Amino acid sequence: MINKKSPIPLYYQLEEHIIELIEKGELRPDDALPPEREYAEKFGISRMTVRQAYTELVNKGYLYRLQGKGTYVAERKIEQPLQGLTSFTEEMKARGMEPGSQLIHFQINPASEIIAKQLAISEAEPVYEIMRVRLADGVPMAIETTYIPANLIQGMTQEIVNQSLYAYIQENLKLRISSGSQVIESSIASQNEAKLLHIGKGAPVMLIESTTYLENGTPIEYVKSVYRADRYKFILNINR
Amino acid sequence: MINKKSPIPLYYQLEEHIIELIEKGELRPDDALPPEREYAEKFGISRMTVRQAYTELVNKGYLYRLQGKGTYVAERKIEQPLQGLTSFTEEMKARGMEPGSQLIHFQINPASEIIAKQLAISEAEPVYEIMRVRLADGVPMAIETTYIPANLIQGMTQEIVNQSLYAYIQENLKLRISSGSQVIESSIASQNEAKLLHIGKGAPVMLIESTTYLENGTPIEYVKSVYRADRYKFILNINR
DNA sequence: TCGGATCACTGGTATAGACAACTATACCTA
DNA sequence: TAGGTATAGTTGTCTATACCAGTGATCCGA
């Protein structure tokens, strides 16, 4: 569990261990963690080292502390630091709507200049291109085109895409998503967009371009979305 | 500077001290802070305590560390955790444009139901209402209407508004802004909006409603903005 | 001149221990 | 019963110390 010989810092090993317990569901929201002193004794490390691991996890939003009581697993709220890194599926569920999806195409193409730049790969490297109409309660909400470097996630199938890509990345590939950037702008629906979204040509739409990165800074996906402005608002909460 | 008799934790006193130096401009972005060991000796406290203060300020985005080199004042970049809590002025500067402003009106009104709800005050309580056309390099960029509870900031004048409201709040009122929420949507310019923004009626615009809160959770301002979609994109970066 | 070794200084990790502040419970007393 | 006291267990703060790891300058030798 904790390897004192490893060059990986002890507090970091403990962090990973606890995150794993949470992700496996062995620790559920509001469960108490062992007291700092107990963990310290159990692993033969000092209390301050346990404390450092707990503190980082509190900062990252995995845990919360109550003085005099203990340290507990935090709820993974959508509103909080996850904001902007959630998938369409999670977001719609959080808004109380039933998410759906309609595949337009699923192909592997060589990366265009723009896509290559966004994904930090060379031009013409293969990328998955997945275009879907996203539904909320059965009504078209957005057109979403996702680009993923094929070398990063090999053998991806349509099935995976229809599940949660994020969950797949975390569970099967043991990679953790850590940051993202988004550009949001207003525009007007083209003929084709209008048709797919069941709105009139020239109706207002919201364009969202979003790039997601792993912990080491590698881009994992680049998504271009066209949302119906009459049904979608982008909500952002910030806490310093 | 640092009072060992005070019940306020030493690391917190040091944090406040450093923030003050940064806000007064005595420490500028990329300036080096004293090494941990030096501060420790200077104030007669242990290095770990200095380290705790530095660490918290790194987490809050005030400082950054380079192993083997030192600890430095961070730039208050738009990209970073400030995102969405910056003023129009700061944001335009960060984008390399010269911000400007054209006052449409400055008045005190009783709060409407919607405004009262956003500012968490009673209906009909007085609020400042400031409507301005915001310019970037002399060209209209947005129409911004700001609502501020009059009881919170008494005796506000047009001059203050033309300076930085954020700076005024922090320096004169000793209040620190800590969180905010924004709702972003797409729409189409009304006749009046089109006229003020020098665009055609029906051109796409971006509506941004934004509420800003103090550390204790009190809303301090509610802003409704209408941005020209042809000149403005909303950029958001997230780091977990 | 170039390259490598050394050194001083920085932050990074880790230990051991002390006391304060806070919570919850049990128990005692008016 | 209500209120105070004692106690055990928790996190919070702080000290003192040690050694590791990265940076950059300086020195030295080929």
Side-chain angles (χ1 to χ4, degrees):
Chain A
M1 219 89 86
I2 298 288
N3 176 7
K4 284 210 175 194
K5 300 283 171 57
S6 163
I8 298 165
L10 297 178
Y11 77 90
Y12 189 78
Q13 292 184 43
L14 183 53
E15 267 185 68
E16 291 291 308
H17 176 62
I18 294 167
I19 289 176
E20 204 177 317
L21 291 179
I22 293 172
E23 285 178 353
K24 278 199 291 189
E26 295 182 23
L27 282 173
R28 306 199 56 79
D30 298 322
D31 279 0
L33 273 85
E36 297 166 355
R37 285 178 177 83
E38 186 179 317
Y39 245 146
E41 196 175 352
K42 180 174 170 191
F43 292 125
I45 59 183
S46 90
R47 180 184 161 218
M48 287 305 283
T49 302
V50 176
R51 207 170 153 67
Q52 185 173 0
Y54 278 21
T55 301
E56 295 231 1
L57 291 176
V58 168
N59 282 329
K60 289 180 186 170
Y62 285 98
L63 307 179
Y64 64 94
R65 286 204 255 232
L66 296 179
Q67 183 175 160
K69 296 196 69 179
T71 305
Y72 302 86
V73 178
E75 300 223 30
R76 271 308 204 170
K77 288 192 203 160
I78 309 252
E79 309 87 78
Q80 289 304 352
L82 261 162
Q83 188 68 44
L85 294 182
T86 42
S87 66
F88 180 87
T89 308
E90 288 176 53
E91 194 181 345
M92 288 307 127
K93 279 185 189 164
R95 294 185 187 200
M97 290 185 279
E98 185 57 34
S101 192
Q102 186 187 321
L103 188 67
I104 306 294
H105 66 243
F106 179 105
Q107 46 193 225
I108 299 186
N109 295 334
S112 71
E113 191 186 335
I114 293 170
I115 306 295
K117 198 178 158 196
Q118 291 293 336
L119 293 174
I121 57 177
S122 310
E123 223 175 307
E125 266 192 56
V127 293
Y128 294 102
E129 177 178 320
I130 304 141
M131 187 167 167
R132 289 175 286 181
V133 172
R134 296 296 217 150
L135 314 171
D137 290 340
V139 180
M141 178 70 108
I143 306 164
E144 199 181 85
T145 313
T146 304
Y147 302 88
I148 298 170
N151 296 332
L152 225 61
I153 303 187
Q154 305 204 340
M156 189 165 60
T157 63
Q158 276 184 217
E159 282 66 47
I160 291 170
V161 172
N162 285 338
Q163 318 291 314
S164 169
L165 176 63
Y166 279 36
Y168 178 78
I169 290 170
Q170 295 213 352
E171 283 164 31
N172 297 59
L173 305 179
K174 302 289 180 201
L175 298 172
R176 204 163 293 127
I177 286 159
S178 75
S179 62
S181 68
Q182 310 204 13
V183 176
I184 304 163
E185 55 192 305
S186 264
S187 184
I188 279 188
S190 71
Q191 185 134 29
N192 190 39
E193 288 164 357
K195 195 177 142 202
L196 287 169
L197 292 174
H198 299 186
I199 54 177
K201 185 186 167 191
V205 291
M206 208 150 131
L207 307 183
I208 303 184
E209 285 178 63
S210 148
T211 311
T212 310
Y213 305 87
L214 299 177
E215 278 178 333
N216 61 13
T218 314
I220 184 89
E221 74 166 355
Y222 169 64
V223 182
K224 285 177 73 166
S225 308
V226 182
Y227 281 83
R228 289 174 63 157
D230 60 339
R231 304 196 118 242
Y232 186 78
K233 295 178 183 184
F234 188 90
I235 298 171
L236 172 65
N237 292 299
I238 291 149
N239 281 286
R240 268 209 221 148
Chain B
M1 216 92 87
I2 298 289
N3 178 5
K4 284 207 177 196
K5 301 282 171 55
S6 162
I8 298 165
L10 296 178
Y11 77 90
Y12 189 77
Q13 293 184 42
L14 183 53
E15 267 185 68
E16 290 290 310
H17 175 61
I18 294 168
I19 289 175
E20 204 178 314
L21 291 179
I22 293 172
E23 285 178 352
K24 278 200 292 189
E26 295 183 23
L27 282 173
R28 308 197 56 77
D30 297 322
D31 279 1
L33 273 86
E36 297 167 355
R37 288 172 178 85
E38 186 180 317
Y39 245 146
E41 194 176 353
K42 180 174 169 189
F43 292 125
I45 59 183
S46 91
R47 180 181 160 215
M48 288 303 285
T49 303
V50 176
R51 210 173 149 68
Q52 186 173 1
Y54 279 20
T55 301
E56 295 231 0
L57 291 176
V58 168
N59 281 330
K60 289 179 186 169
Y62 284 98
L63 306 179
Y64 64 93
R65 285 204 256 233
L66 297 179
Q67 182 174 163
K69 296 194 70 176
T71 304
Y72 302 86
V73 177
E75 297 222 32
R76 276 311 206 163
K77 286 195 205 157
I78 306 252
E79 306 90 77
Q80 289 305 352
L82 261 162
Q83 190 65 45
L85 295 182
T86 41
S87 65
F88 180 86
T89 308
E90 289 176 54
E91 194 180 342
M92 288 306 129
K93 279 185 189 164
R95 295 185 186 200
M97 290 184 278
E98 185 58 35
S101 193
Q102 185 186 322
L103 189 69
I104 307 293
H105 67 242
F106 178 107
Q107 46 193 227
I108 298 187
N109 295 334
S112 70
E113 190 186 336
I114 294 171
I115 306 294
K117 198 178 158 198
Q118 292 294 335
L119 293 174
I121 57 178
S122 310
E123 223 173 307
E125 265 191 57
V127 293
Y128 294 103
E129 178 179 319
I130 303 141
M131 186 167 166
R132 289 175 287 181
V133 173
R134 294 299 216 150
L135 312 172
D137 290 341
V139 179
M141 179 70 110
I143 305 164
E144 198 182 85
T145 313
T146 304
Y147 302 88
I148 298 169
N151 296 333
L152 225 60
I153 303 186
Q154 304 203 342
M156 190 164 61
T157 63
Q158 275 185 220
E159 282 67 47
I160 291 171
V161 171
N162 286 336
Q163 318 290 315
S164 168
L165 176 64
Y166 279 37
Y168 178 79
I169 290 170
Q170 296 213 352
E171 283 163 30
N172 297 57
L173 305 179
K174 303 286 179 204
L175 299 171
R176 202 162 293 129
I177 287 160
S178 76
S179 62
S181 68
Q182 310 205 12
V183 176
I184 304 163
E185 54 191 304
S186 264
S187 184
I188 280 189
S190 72
Q191 184 133 32
N192 190 38
E193 288 164 356
K195 195 176 140 202
L196 286 169
L197 291 175
H198 298 184
I199 54 178
K201 186 186 165 191
V205 291
M206 208 151 133
L207 307 183
I208 303 183
E209 285 178 62
S210 147
T211 310
T212 310
Y213 304 86
L214 298 177
E215 280 176 332
N216 61 11
T218 315
I220 184 87
E221 72 165 357
Y222 170 63
V223 182
K224 285 176 73 164
S225 308
V226 182
Y227 281 83
R228 289 173 63 157
D230 59 340
R231 305 194 116 243
Y232 185 79
K233 295 178 181 183
F234 189 90
I235 297 171
L236 172 63
N237 291 297
I238 291 149
N239 282 287
R240 273 214 212 140

